[in-house]
């Protein structure tokens, strides 16, 4: 790197070059860290969006199955309850209940228990 001659002693020029090199290296490191953090934040946002899309798809499937098995009225009642559930394991459990419950009332009662 060329430093213009401004009447500064050579020792000071040498020091300035070291500082400039250090700052340049540090700024690259900082910029790399910022890019890496940005990429990680983007990945995490993408994963969360994917999880939410998966849960939304599971809710739709549960409602469709409930509608087929127990009718439209039960599906409407179930829809409001499912909206509040964000846990994928819980949604999966409700899917199993759709298979084992004898009636829509039994399913809703089971949902109310937990």
């Amino acid at each position: 790197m060329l430093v213009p001659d401004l009447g500064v002693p050579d020792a000071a020029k040498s020091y300035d070059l070291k500082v400039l090199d250090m700052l340049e290296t540090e700024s690259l490191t900082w910029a790399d860290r910022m890019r890496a953090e940005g990429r990680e934040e983007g990945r995490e946002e993408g994963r969360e969006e994917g999880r939410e899309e998966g849960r939304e798809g599971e809710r739709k499937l549960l409602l469709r199955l409930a509608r087929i098995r127990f009718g439209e009225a039960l599906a409407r009642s179930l829809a409001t309850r499912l909206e509040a559930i964000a846990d994928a394991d819980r949604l999966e459990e409700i899917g199993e209940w759709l298979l084992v419950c004898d009636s829509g009332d039994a399913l809703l009662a089971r949902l109310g228990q937990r």
Side-chain angles (χ1 to χ4, degrees):
M1 178 179 286
L2 296 175
V3 177
D5 185 9
L6 302 173
V8 178
D10 287 339
K13 287 182 194 175
S14 172
Y15 174 78
D16 288 343
L17 288 175
K18 289 177 188 173
V19 170
L20 289 173
D21 286 342
M22 183 182 74
L23 289 173
E24 186 175 280
T25 301
E26 182 61 27
S27 68
L28 288 175
T29 303
W30 178 82
D32 291 340
R33 280 194 309 256
M34 294 306 293
R35 277 192 290 278
E37 287 178 22
R39 282 192 298 270
E40 183 55 36
E41 287 175 13
R43 284 187 197 109
E44 184 55 38
E45 287 174 11
R47 284 190 287 267
E48 182 55 38
E49 287 175 9
R51 285 189 290 267
E52 181 53 40
E53 287 174 7
R55 288 187 297 260
E56 186 57 35
E58 192 159 353
R59 286 184 197 105
K60 285 181 180 181
L61 176 61
L62 291 174
L63 291 174
R64 184 174 180 192
L65 294 173
R67 188 173 294 111
I68 292 168
R69 180 118 196 256
F70 300 119
E72 184 63 36
L74 181 274
R76 279 195 306 270
S77 179
L78 183 62
T80 58
R81 295 170 190 223
L82 291 180
E83 287 176 11
I85 299 173
D87 181 24
D89 291 335
R90 177 88 165 123
L91 292 170
E92 188 176 308
E93 184 178 36
I94 294 167
E96 292 172 1
W97 295 346
L98 275 165
L99 296 174
V100 298
C101 288
D102 294 333
S103 68
D105 290 336
L107 176 65
L108 293 178
R110 221 167 178 176
L111 274 168
Q113 293 173 356
R114 297 201 53 193

